[in-house]
Amino acid sequence: MTVKLKPLFNFDNLPTPELIGNGLTGKDILSVEQFDQDKLKYVFARAHEMRELVERVGHCDLLAGKVASCLFYEPSTRTSASFIAAMERLGGSVIPITQGVQFSSVSKGETLADTIRTLEQYSDVIVLRHPEIGSAQVAADYSRVPVINAGDGAGEHPTQALLDLFTIREELGRIDGLKIAMVGDLRYGRTVHSLTRLLTQYDVSLRFVSPEILRLPLTIMNHVIDAGLDVRETHDVADVIKNADVLYVTRVQKERFTDLAQYEEVKDHYVITPEIMTQAKEKMIVMHPLPRVGEIHYTVDHDPRAAYFRQVKNGMYIRMALLAAVLGRA
Ligand code: ASP
Ligand code: CP
């Protein structure tokens, strides 16, 4: 009698990298438009696992041998540091060009295309922040390794929107049915642009609070209207504070203004204070992508509804989840 031994591994049944990353493996992350509900659920579930991993053991070797280039043409604290922390906690390593490209050959006049074509020789993924809208797409066109958009001018900041959405769900337990108010620089704020686009997939009410010159761009507003959401614009925080479940406050983006006098006019338009917070619901959250430069008074930090530093931490879990998915290791 011959006994047929069961193989230790059935290689036919191993998930392909494509399945591991739920369609994200090997892909660029350029815009939130790439994320449908299925992908969002996948990334959030993986981010939960990453939180558990970090809280229980701190790190693992999932991305051992993988290298990420972090190429930042604009200042950053959170995005750059959290991508580096994410790579390191997953056992990978980083080429950090985050302390100012003036110390790289960019200052000698090297183009974005050549810089990308150089970094792809050393790395498995490139994380790029750049002042021009569309720059991440340009980089992706030149790169054979995936490019992750860490902010392209006043365009998009997709990984921030993912961590913002994740934070809302973690803090309030749901997204559908919420009243979300965005305050500040809605014109140039790329985090607002990405988060708003992502929220059109949900049944939410949106309130946009800004000075006239910083209103949400029409293309994004049309997107919201086409999605059939309940939406209103106002200049006054008082119009939204009582009903908001989420107050998403933003910095006026000084670096995008061509006329600094105009910046001076609007820079201190909104300041969230403990007094304003007395009018807000007991169960709501205040968010901010940070850095803040006065829009939320420091005394608000003691309010349990101030979620912005918890939001910062979620950024690391989301970026760990994204890197693992893009690099096909889960
Ligand atoms: N850090 C965010 C960004 O880079 C928001 C800000 O800078 O105000 O878009
Ligand atoms: N939220 C955010 O993008 O922060 P940094 O500009 O510090 O990266």
Side-chain angles (χ1 to χ4, degrees), residues 2 8-9 15 45 47-48 78 114 146 149 173 197 220 245 249 296:
T2 50
L8 271 180
F9 294 108
H48 266 289
R78 279 144 292 270
D114 283 0
N149 181 3
R197 285 180 189 278
I220 303 176
D245 298 300
V249 186
I296 302 178

Side-chain angles (χ1 to χ4, degrees), residues 54-106:
V54 171
E55 285 174 357
R56 285 166 62 180
V57 287
H59 63 99
C60 71
D61 60 3
L62 191 69
L63 295 184
K66 297 287 184 187
V67 177
S69 285
C70 285
L71 176 62
F72 281 61
Y73 288 73
E74 281 191 334
S76 167
T77 298
R78 279 144 292 270
T79 313
S80 54
S82 61
F83 267 112
I84 293 171
M87 261 329 260
E88 294 196 349
R89 285 192 182 270
L90 292 175
S93 46
V94 178
I95 299 170
I97 309 181
T98 54
Q99 299 303 315
V101 284
Q102 69 266 30
F103 299 115
S104 75
S105 285
V106 168

